[in-house]
Amino acid sequence: QARKRFGQNFLTDTGIITQLVRSIAPARNDLMVEIGPGQGALTRPLMDELDHLHAVELDRDLIALLQRTLTARRLTLHQADALRFDFTTLVPDAQQRLRVVGNLPYNISTPLMFHLIRQIDVIQDMHFMLQKEMVERLVATPGSSDWGRLSVMIQYHCQADFLFLVPPEAFRPAPKVDSAIVRLTPHATLPHPVADYAVFAALVGQVFTQRRKAIRNGLKSFLSPAEIETAGIDPGLRPEQLSLADFAALGNAAAARINDTKP
Ligand code: SAM
């Protein structure tokens, strides 16, 4: 019996499962963690390809089911909330990085993305099944209506690729929405590194709360219109018209201003 409050929709389409595992392309000695293994639809075929797999599942009953049905030897189950889970504990040495996969519970996918990018330094790549609209936001380009805080913050850290669509019939119970697979690959070097990440993140969050207004309004608490112009950006633009490079420039201008006014 699937639990709605845990966002449980179990994958049943074997063609989709095969396609997803092929996209992930596990190598035997990869360090991999699956978020939300559920009844093991993805866990089993991943274990076939791997020497070892970690899995983080919140539902105790599913943990018990997985313990009964999967050989525990090559699988380490963590009964935990992925939103609070410290993924760095799975990475034993600095040489290794973690591959993260999961058919995620859609009700927690945005906070989970932000939780994971806080631990991006230990992550090699991520493959997720998400609501299609969420994937469209992750891979969005400036100027589109999907371009927002999530797109900017994820693309600051990662290359985001839309892999393929998954229809509701691939699951039991079938969700009401279309799904899609996204691949997130952390940049080897950041394309637009900022001087003060906290200021940049706060500025991006703030400006998109007023996405229909000119940035001169949305950025009032960070920068004056003159300072926005000095950063090389037209203060009359709306946030969805700005590129990642523009946001980085604004973030750096705001950080410089904050540091200047410090006593
Ligand atoms: N991977 C399975 C599949 O494809 O059939 C299950 C996918 S289901 C959409 C999401 C899974 O995430 C469920 O097993 C659910 O119990 C689990 N889950 C929900 N919230 C979670 C959380 N905060 N932390 C870890 N797992 C969670």
Side-chain angles (χ1 to χ4, degrees):
Q1 184 68 32
R3 290 197 168 125
K4 217 172 172 180
R5 76 189 160 96
F6 287 145
Q8 290 174 357
N9 298 91
F10 301 116
L11 252 178
T12 49
D13 185 319
T14 52
I16 296 284
I17 294 170
T18 305
Q19 198 179 348
L20 177 52
V21 173
R22 205 170 287 154
S23 305
I24 298 167
R28 287 233 78 89
N29 59 355
D30 279 346
L31 180 61
M32 194 178 288
V33 60
E34 182 185 5
I35 299 175
Q39 299 171 336
L42 204 51
T43 321
R44 271 170 246 267
L46 286 174
M47 283 174 67
D48 288 343
E49 311 276 327
L50 292 163
D51 290 339
H52 184 263
L53 177 65
H54 289 279
V56 180
E57 172 60 59
L58 183 59
D59 187 334
R60 282 174 208 281
D61 294 339
L62 288 177
I63 289 274
L65 174 87
L66 291 168
Q67 269 161 349
R68 278 200 308 277
T69 54
L70 296 180
T71 39
R73 194 167 42 90
R74 292 190 291 119
L75 178 68
T76 307
L77 290 167
H78 305 265
Q79 200 257 310
D81 180 350
L83 285 176
R84 293 163 196 273
F85 192 78
D86 181 356
F87 289 89
T88 64
T89 61
L90 304 182
V91 185
D93 67 78
Q95 311 310 319
Q96 271 180 305
R97 284 187 306 151
L98 193 58
R99 305 193 68 193
V100 185
V101 306
N103 169 15
L104 298 184
Y106 296 168
N107 51 343
I108 63 159
S109 35
T110 301
L112 189 57
M113 292 296 131
F114 283 100
H115 181 61
L116 287 163
I117 58 172
R118 270 179 236 122
Q119 310 179 45
I120 199 80
D121 289 348
V122 300
I123 295 176
Q124 180 182 329
D125 62 14
M126 303 184 262
H127 289 81
F128 294 127
M129 171 92 73
L130 292 164
Q131 192 170 332
K132 188 187 88 185
E133 284 71 18
M134 171 105 179
V135 174
E136 284 166 347
R137 284 159 57 204
L138 291 171
V139 306
T141 49
S144 78
S145 59
D146 291 324
W147 179 247
R149 173 178 174 239
L150 186 69
S151 336
V152 174
M153 295 313 293
I154 287 290
Q155 292 181 28
Y156 177 82
H157 298 283
C158 300
Q159 163 73 32
D161 297 300
F162 189 118
L163 297 192
F164 58 92
L165 259 171
V166 183
E169 309 81 69
F171 307 86
R172 294 283 176 288
K176 290 192 176 65
V177 294
D178 281 330
S179 302
I181 305 292
V182 68
R183 174 186 290 142
L184 302 173
T185 315
H187 300 298
T189 46
L190 293 177
H192 302 288
V194 294
D196 186 328
Y197 183 76
V199 171
F200 167 71
L203 179 144
V204 172
Q206 174 64 39
V207 76
F208 278 110
T209 63
Q210 302 187 39
R211 63 177 301 136
R212 315 230 164 273
K213 290 200 180 155
I215 56 169
R216 78 162 72 80
N217 299 309
L219 287 181
K220 243 174 214 157
S221 56
F222 288 91
L223 293 165
S224 68
E227 287 167 326
I228 296 173
E229 285 220 67
T230 308
I233 293 145
D234 174 357
L237 293 175
R238 281 178 291 119
E240 65 187 33
Q241 297 174 288
L242 302 189
S243 68
L244 176 56
D246 294 337
F247 284 111
L250 290 170
N252 285 336
R257 180 203 215 215
I258 289 167
N259 290 327
D260 272 359
T261 53
K262 268 188 193 150

